[in-house]
């Protein structure tokens, strides 16, 4: 038993509730974030049990499937044993299942029986992480790591071999002053060599920056907060900010080459408004919308009055009733309910709630045409007709909507006892099932609406006689009770039922574009990102939306690979022809760009539909499919925009996969808002969910969730860019500083008889990566902004500078490594020549090996930290604090470490070493000199590159820095980089 | 214009989140840190900013370098190899282990007089004091006068830990191989009998080592020998540690020659301070030019590992002994950076012209 506002402790089968109709409301906010109330239904046979005794007397068994993580699916059945009869079998679905973690609302108490508990509950199963996504940075990091591992092993190997070569003369192996113990002498040569090898490995192991992984993780975790904190990505309307579900992919946002976007709810508002309906060729427009609009069908309202004959009238009313009845909307009487979609008709006290905004728009639209859906009570749907009479229909069956069938149906029984099946769905799924009705007229109207970017649905009906219905009932029941393959069986049953329909009419709903969608797409395209629209909508609707959001421009030449065209030509011919056009274009493009006339090159846009795509993807017997795929990819690559319409969710994922595994392995990003986008979101390198109206499923499965499509721009161009440069600097710097750290040790082996003597004291070895040099780079990688945020937003082309993992390519990696080696050579040999056979103090006393190591280490800590200071373009007080702070910490620590005889140490080798070193003038001079020498080449390289071959980013940096003192207020609209055609990437 | 622009920014950045609505609590804070808008200094390394730095480095480094170089060149230093591998060398006889004790004499001449304090070093080559097995073969607790460590030295000292069932004090390979040649310096004056040069053996070790890090076993009133009771001398030593010097202040673990030896050198060729020769008066040079001879009690074998032994006499400046490297390096880096500055200036000049024209065309 669970009381109101309590959370369900495990997954329960809902037996009965304190409400008379056996329903209860729950909110699953903690499960999927949807705060709306959902209605669940008690099992029919048990909803009468209202006391604990009643429940005790219940004798029933429940069969259910094995625990599954899908929150919205449940298959099971309950056998209720009455004393007299055979057991009654009832199907159980997700509507009977109360999930652990959900909270009971508006219901006093419910009774339920536990089916899944503990780790088997759906909530617990959902804790399982999704398949892990790895960013490109992480991959190259791992490659670099392998390189370093090879370096490590080869270093150890070289030293081991050198050691034995060197030791081959016995006086070197064991001079009189340094004899081995008896045990050491007797050890086997091979064993000794192996232990030596291992000892070298231990000595040099710091070259593998273990702490890098810790720092990278910390950077990613902390860095992701900047996304959630971003005020500009907070949406005032919905009160939602961006969500970060994984912090592993922050830098991947700066690497995106392909964006796959859903249309509905992503590019568009998913805020549906009923535009018109068309019954048998007559067009109706609701008053409210009609105001001030000059539609070609402005006279439509008259049509309602001038009723077109009795039969027409009947059809018309049937149509309205169909729209009124064929849905799964719930009515909320309660105004307090935080349902976001109240009826705009504020005079009504009821609000419609549905998982599909189309349905709400339809029912609201029909309301304006006179038919008001009132409520569903005791399986009777009530609606008020034009004459203000209340009509009641018994709801017999709901054949619920799914994205494969793309339609839904209800079977209702009117008060007069007539049984109707009303079916509503996409035109493509309705028309083939229609046997009667003015198909041509309606189809033309539908197409016209689609071109205007409206979403169309067709409505059809079928009258059933009692026997037919009983047949259907049995069919459905059998399918519903099935434990295995229930989905498939249901689909088959639906297929059988929804046929031989009579077409009534079509509806059109407008879906407005999201604000700044066009702006965002334009920016993305300027940033060198290819935007693909993948939608389930009709081609015409989708194309209209694409024009509206400037994905296609007026001069874009559209290439079509559609079913229609394929009927005329074979796939092969179409593809060949297209590729010829496109390749010719790209050839001319290169010519043009050579001659500098790149301004108006022909843009190509590709439109492909689901059927054609499946043809391309379908593997042929002779294996020629890969040819088609390659051809198709070639075409796609040369098109500035691609629109894929009529896509099933799986096809969306397929497309993403196709691009993902094409030969350049581009980084893909998928963005969508609905459950149908989940597969694509999971498939792409980065999945972004829109916290939209079609529920939270997409947001839940995504890596990042944002409230609006427009936020994608900042997400990629600003955050992605920043994260990428930050993390790449972090990775390269870590490798660099560890080369600096370990390479002197390697060199020292040549001067200490390859005896694995460490150059630095143990404390320095341990603390180098942990405290002397860790914080500056961590903070650098959190706050660095090489270019101002506004500039990045204003100038999307800067995104191209970092495309293709530019900052982690081999060239850069080798540069950093060589810089590290150079610096290490400077440190070591600088100190070597300082110490060689002389004294450096003014009292003639000499220094030992620990002073030598400390000098190298001091120079190194300063160089490495100052190198980071040189790379920092954005000095906040935090950077000042950590950079100067960690240098100060090093000095203070060294003074302290050498200033005391530490009682817990068995050796006192560092005693006063650092202080004595500082008392020597030449040591200071050497530190200054060596730091300067180490930094010189890097400064030189930076300056020369900036001066001679500046990248776009550097030009912007320069111009902005020049502008700032010049006091010229940059106008926010004018891009700083005036180059209309950004330079081709250096490759 | 710019002022307006900035001011507008500030206003935008300030209060707008104050009038809170229902969903406002989820709204991110508008703090400079969270919005990544902390005030920041944004330096960019351009030729313009780096140029002066290069010139300044050049201008500072070259004089420093010249100063160091001159100082280094003014230092007098003489190095005398007395290994005796050369058959003509007077110390050649000492190579065979039979002659004990072996005393040899080497003559040398100072062309110029040594002014100020003169420092006498011994230098060894090819001697790996930085070998790992060697470096760790010591017990700092024992050397610090810890009575328990005295009788039970650390395992690191193996195989120089115990001898004939007695703990070795001081234990370990470093102590065992302590340098034990004796060097004496005589000035051959105009007269026939030479004058010995007074060699001071105090002040050659670090003050902190002598007074803190190294201590004899406790017991102020007891004679030193008693304090080392129960231990034995290192195998290679002739005398036990408490007889290193007749003076108790310089004997035992706090013998300065011993302390100097115990500070292991960084490189296989090294020198260690042996004695000081103090300046007597301002008028006379410490070591006037002339003929000298070095009297060596040759004990320390280096021939077996191809080593060399040297005696070095050197004066010291504020920057230590003779070391041309630092001065040359400073001069070189200073010149390079000056040169680079010039190159950059040229590049910058050219580039600025072209960029200006580019700006105009845009």
């Amino acid at each position: 038993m669970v009381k109101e506002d309590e959370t369900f402790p495990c997954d329960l089968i809902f037996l009965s509730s304190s409400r008379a109709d056996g329903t209860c409301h729950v909110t699953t906010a903690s499960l999927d974030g949807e705060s709306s109330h959902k209605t669940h239904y008690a099992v029919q046979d048990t909803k009468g049990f209202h006391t604990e005794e009643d429940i005790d007397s219940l004798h029933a068994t429940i069969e259910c499937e094995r625990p599954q993580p899908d929150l919205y699916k449940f298959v099971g059945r309950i056998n209720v044993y009455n004393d007299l009869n055979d057991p009654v079998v009832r199907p159980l679905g997700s509507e009977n299942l109360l999930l652990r973690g959900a909270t009971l609302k508006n219901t006093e108490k419910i009774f339920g029986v536990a089916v899944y508990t503990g780790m088997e509950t759906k909530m617990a199963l959902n804790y399982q992480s999704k398949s892990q996504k790895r960013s490109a940075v992480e991959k190259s990091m791992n490659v670099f790591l392998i390189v370093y591992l090879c370096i490590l092993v080869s270093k150890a190997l070289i030293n081991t071999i050198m050691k034995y070569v060197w030791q081959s003369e016995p006086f070197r192996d064991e001079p009189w002053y340094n004899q081995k113990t008896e045990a050491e002498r007797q050890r086997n040569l091979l064993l000794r060599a192996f232990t030596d090898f291992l000892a070298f490995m231990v000595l040099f192991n710091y070259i593998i920056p273990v702490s890098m992984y810790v720092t990278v993780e910390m950077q990613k975790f902390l860095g992701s907060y900047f996304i959630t904190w971003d005020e500009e990505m907070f949406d005032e309307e919905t009160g939602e900010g961006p969500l970060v579900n994984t912090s592993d992919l922050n830098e991947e946002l700066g690497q995106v080459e392909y964006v796959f976007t859903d249309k509905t709810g992503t590019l568009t508002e998913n805020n549906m408004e009923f535009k018109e309906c068309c019954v048998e060729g007559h067009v109706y427009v609701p008053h409210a919308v009609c105001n001030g609009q000059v539609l070609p069908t402005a006279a439509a309202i008259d049509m309602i009055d001038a009723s077109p004959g009795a039969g027409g009238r009947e059809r018309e009313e049937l149509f309205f009733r169909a729209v009124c009845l064929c849905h799964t909307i719930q009515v909320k009487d309660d105004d307090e309910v935080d349902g976001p979609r109240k009826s705009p008709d504020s005079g009504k006290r009821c609000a419609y709630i549905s998982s599909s905004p189309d349905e709400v728009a339809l029912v609201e639209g029909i309301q304006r045409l006179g038919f008001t859906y009132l409520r569903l009570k005791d399986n009777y749907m009530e609606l008020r007709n034009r004459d203000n009479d209340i009509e009641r229909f018994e709801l017999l069956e709901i054949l619920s909507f799914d994205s494969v069938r793309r339609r839904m149906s209800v079977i209702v029984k009117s008060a007069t006892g007539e049984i109707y099946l009303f079916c509503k769905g996409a035109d493509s799924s309705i028309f083939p099932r229609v046997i009667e009705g003015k198909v041509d007229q309606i189809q033309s109207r539908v197409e016209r609406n689609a071109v205007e970017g409206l979403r169309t649905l067709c409505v059809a009906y079928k009258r059933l006689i009692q026997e037919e219905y009983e047949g259907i009932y049995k069919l459905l029941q059998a399918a519903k009770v099935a434990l295995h393959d229930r989905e498939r069986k249901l689909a088959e049953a639906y297929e059988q039922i929804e046929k031989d329909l009579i077409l009534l009419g079509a509806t059109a709903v407008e879906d407005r574009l999201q604000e700044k969608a066009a702006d965002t797409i334009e920016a993305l395209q300027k940033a060198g990102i290819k935007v693909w629209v993948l939608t389930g909508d009709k081609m015409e609707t989708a194309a209209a939306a694409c024009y509206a959001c400037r994905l296609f421009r007026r001069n874009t030449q559209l290439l079509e690979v559609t079913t229609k065209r394929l009927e005329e030509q074979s796939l092969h011919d179409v593809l060949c022809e297209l590729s010829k056009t496109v390749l010719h274009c790209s050839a001319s493009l290169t010519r043009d760009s050579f001659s500098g006339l790149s301004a108006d090159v022909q843009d190509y846009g590709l439109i492909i539909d689901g059927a054609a795509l499946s043809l391309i993807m379908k593997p042929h017997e002779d294996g020629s499919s890969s040819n088609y795929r390659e051809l198709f990819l070639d075409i796609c690559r040369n098109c500035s925009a691609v629109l894929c319409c009529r896509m099933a969710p799986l096809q969306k994922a397929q497309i993403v996969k196709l691009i993902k595994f094409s030969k350049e392995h581009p980084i893909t990003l998928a963005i969508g808002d609905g459950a149908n986008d989940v597969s694509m979101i999971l498939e792409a390198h980065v999945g972004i969910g829109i916290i939209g109206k079609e529920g939270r499923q997409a947001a839940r499965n995504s890596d990042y969730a944002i409230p609006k499509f427009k936020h994608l721009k900042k997400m990629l161009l600003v955050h992605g860019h920043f994260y990428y440069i930050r993390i790449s600097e972090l990775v390269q710097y870590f490798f660099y500083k560890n080369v600096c750290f370990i390479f002197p040790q390697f060199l020292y082996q040549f001067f200490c008889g390859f005896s694995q003597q460490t150059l630095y004291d143990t404390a320095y070895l341990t603390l180098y990566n942990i405290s002397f040099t860790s914080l500056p780079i961590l903070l650098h990688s959190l706050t660095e902004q090489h270019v101002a945020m506004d500039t990045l937003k204003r100038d999307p082309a800067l995104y191209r500078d970092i495309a293709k993992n530019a900052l982690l390519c081999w060239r850069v990696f080798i540069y950093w490594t060589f810089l590290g080696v150079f610096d290490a050579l400077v440190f070591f040999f600088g100190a070597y020549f300082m110490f060689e056979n002389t004294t450096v103090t003014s009292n003639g006393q000499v220094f030992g090996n620990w002073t030598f190591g400390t000098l190298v280490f001091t120079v190194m800590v300063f160089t490495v930290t100052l190198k980071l200071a040189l790379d920092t373009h954005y000095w906040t007080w935090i950077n000042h604090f950590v950079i100067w702070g960690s240098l100060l910490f090093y000095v203070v620590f060294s003074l302290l470490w050498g200033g005391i005889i530490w009682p817990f140490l068995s050796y006192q080798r560092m005693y006063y070493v650092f202080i004595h070193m500082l008392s020597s003038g030449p040591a200071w001079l050497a530190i200054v000199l060596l730091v300067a020498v180490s930094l010189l080449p890097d400064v030189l390289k930076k300056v020369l590159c900036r001066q001679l071959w500046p990248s776009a980013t550097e030009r912007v940096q320069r111009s902005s820095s020049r502008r700032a003192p010049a006091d010229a207020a940059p106008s926010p609209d004018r891009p700083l980089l005036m180059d209309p055609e950004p330079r081709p990437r250096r490759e | 214009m710019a002022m307006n622009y900035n001011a507008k920014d500030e206003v935008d950045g300030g209060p707008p989140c104050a009038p809170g609505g229902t969903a406002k609590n989820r709204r991110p804070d508008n703090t400079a840190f969270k919005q990544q808008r902390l005030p920041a200094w944004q330096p960019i390394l351009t030729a313009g900013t780096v140029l002066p730095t290069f010139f300044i480095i050049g201008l500072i480094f070259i004089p420093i370098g010249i100063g160091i170089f001159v100082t280094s060149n003014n230092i007098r230093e003489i190095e005398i190899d007395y290994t005796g591998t050369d058959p003509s060398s007077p110390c050649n006889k000492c190579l065979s282990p039979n002659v004990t004790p072996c005393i040899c004499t080497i003559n040398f001449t100072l062309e110029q007089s040594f002014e100020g304090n003169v420092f006498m070093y011994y230098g060894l080559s090819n001697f790996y004091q930085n070998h790992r097995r060697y470096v760790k073969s010591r017990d700092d607790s024992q050397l610090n006068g810890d009575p328990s460590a005295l009788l039970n030295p650390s395992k690191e000292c193996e195989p120089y830990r115990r001898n004939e069932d007695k703990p070795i004090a001081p234990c370990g390979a470093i102590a065992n191989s302590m340098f034990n040649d004796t060097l004496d310096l005589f000035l051959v004056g105009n007269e026939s009998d030479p004058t010995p040069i007074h060699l001071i053996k105090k002040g050659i070790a670090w003050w902190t080592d002598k007074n803190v890090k190294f201590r004899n076993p406790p017991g102020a009133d007891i004679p030193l020998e008693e304090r080392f009771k129960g231990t034995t001398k290192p195998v290679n030593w002739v005398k036990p540690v408490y007889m290193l010097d007749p003076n108790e202040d310089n004997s035992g673990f706090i013998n300065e020659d011993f302390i100097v030896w115990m500070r292991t050198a960084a490189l296989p060729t090294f020198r260690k301070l042996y004695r000081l020769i103090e300046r007597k008066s301002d008028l006379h040079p410490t070591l006037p030019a002339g003929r000298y001879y070095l009297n060596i009690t040759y004990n320390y074998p280096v021939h077996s590992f191809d080593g060399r032994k040297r005696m070095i006499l050197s004066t010291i400046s504020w920057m230590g002994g003779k070391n041309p490297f630092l001065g040359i390096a400073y001069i070189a880096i200073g010149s390079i950076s000056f040169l680079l500055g010039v190159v950059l200036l040229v590049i910058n000049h050219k580039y600025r012209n072209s960029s200006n024209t580019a700006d105009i065309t845009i």
Side-chain angles (χ1 to χ4, degrees), chain A residues 3-28:
Chain A
K3 293 201 176 116
E4 182 162 4
D5 287 336
E6 281 181 348
T7 308
F8 302 117
C10 53
D11 291 353
L12 301 170
I13 293 290
F14 182 21
L15 293 180
S16 67
S17 89
S18 58
R19 289 184 145 203
D21 54 358
T23 61
C24 73
H25 295 276
V26 300
T27 167
T28 50

Side-chain angles (χ1 to χ4, degrees), chain A residues 792-812:
Chain A
L792 281 180
K793 253 197 290 185
R794 215 178 309 142
D795 213 338
L798 294 180
Y799 196 78
R800 296 183 186 209
D801 261 16
I802 57 163
K804 303 254 181 227
N805 215 355
L807 299 182
L808 287 175
C809 63
W810 285 105
R811 205 165 45 88
V812 181

Side-chain angles (χ1 to χ4, degrees), chain A residues 687-711:
Chain A
I688 295 197
I690 302 265
I691 310 168
K693 302 191 173 164
E694 287 185 19
R696 288 247 178 177
Q697 246 175 321
R700 221 159 37 82
N701 285 297
S702 62
D703 303 311
Y704 300 91
I706 50 178
K708 286 276 161 65
F709 183 72
K710 64 173 177 181
H711 298 133

